[in-house]
Amino acid sequence: MSEKQLHTYSFFIRTASNVAERYGVNATSLLAGTGLSPDVLADSYQLVSYTQELEFYRNLVQAIDVPWLGLEVGSQSKLSSLGSIGHAGLA
């Protein structure tokens, strides 16, 4: 029996890729090995698997070697940017 694949919204990797761009890291390089196309970063509501998201973050950490990277990405992640879904999460 196979496990059900868990998903999250592309909003989170989109936010992280915006931070990476400030460090001069191209978003395409962060998507290497994820099976995702750059189009996924254009739509905050696309679903990505946790496996794809984990690979993206592995690429991010390898590309940017600063100890506060997680804090920086987290500070840029505003749930309200997800519209009604984000506001429901804040409630």
Side-chain angles (χ1 to χ4, degrees):
M1 186 182 337
S2 65
E3 280 187 44
K4 184 176 179 178
Q5 182 75 297
L6 299 175
H7 291 86
T8 187
Y9 289 108
S10 60
F11 161 78
F12 298 105
I13 63 173
R14 179 180 169 183
T15 300
S17 73
N18 290 339
V19 171
E21 285 180 10
R22 284 187 253 158
Y23 284 92
V25 177
N26 185 312
T28 305
S29 67
L30 298 176
L31 296 172
T34 64
L36 298 170
S37 73
D39 296 337
V40 75
L41 300 174
D43 180 5
S44 295
Y45 292 104
Q46 283 196 21
L47 292 177
V48 298
S49 73
Y50 283 145
T51 304
Q52 291 171 315
E53 184 180 29
L54 181 60
E55 187 62 31
F56 173 89
Y57 285 121
R58 281 186 186 132
N59 293 340
L60 179 69
V61 169
Q62 288 176 355
I64 304 170
D65 187 23
V66 295
W68 59 84
L69 181 60
L71 293 172
E72 191 170 347
V73 171
S75 71
Q76 299 301 311
S77 299
K78 309 284 189 256
L79 283 180
S80 59
S81 297
L82 284 172
S84 59
I85 293 172
H87 288 286
L90 292 172

